[in-house]
Amino acid sequence: MENNKQVPKATLHRYPVYLKALRKLKSEGIERVMSRELAEYVGIESTTIRRDFSFLGNLGKQGFGYKVDDLIRIFSEQLGMNFDEKIILVGCGNLGKALLNYNHWNHVVGEIVCAFDINPAGVSGASVPVYDLKDLPEKKPQGCRIAILCISKDVQPTVDFLVNNGITGLVSFASEHFSVPGTVQVKQIDVVSSIQELVFEANAASEKKAA
């Protein structure tokens, strides 16, 4: 984003929120929106929205509002993100199926378009096609680069297989450590560590309050 140095952090954090709302508005057939209308969607004061938008130039006209398509294009360019990512999920156990059932990210970062498992015949009730993991080279959607990893066995070989087939970003729920090339980004989701941190912070806050 060109104006990063001038844009407050709080404003930067709100930009993805605006983009999510704008994409939802577009899906509902809305072509133009006023700041007060957008405010109702995101729960942010219209004056704050207009100030946040001002960092990106003159995006609308008073009394005329903003063109939804124009705002989506500008925010997508400025954020440098592809909000139509085709994501795959690997491992359709209880956690994997829960994530598939939650697959409502189409206004944020894309969606899970298919899943892979070593025993696809044993997976029932999935909201997307489930393929055998060995068929990933043929079944992986064109342009797909992100995988959600929900496996507990053979983690390193599976990761190597994914990377060798074009996956460059992993969201991992696997507890087992694995390594990847420097060109691959990994986001590790560790619920246990998060709870431990939260307990520590809660205890520290309680001690501070009692002091």
Side-chain angles (χ1 to χ4, degrees), residues 163 167-169 179-186:
V163 171
I167 294 299
T168 58
S179 59
V180 295
T183 54
V184 177
Q185 303 300 314
V186 177

Side-chain angles (χ1 to χ4, degrees), residues 13 20 46 83-84 90 128 156 165 205:
H13 290 163
K20 176 182 178 180
S46 59
F83 284 78
D84 294 309
V90 179
V128 299
Q156 186 65 61
N165 282 281

Side-chain angles (χ1 to χ4, degrees), residues 22 25-33 41 68-69:
L22 289 163
L25 288 169
K26 181 177 179 178
S27 73
E28 296 172 356
I30 297 173
E31 298 180 355
R32 193 177 301 277
V33 64
Y41 268 79
V68 172
D69 279 341

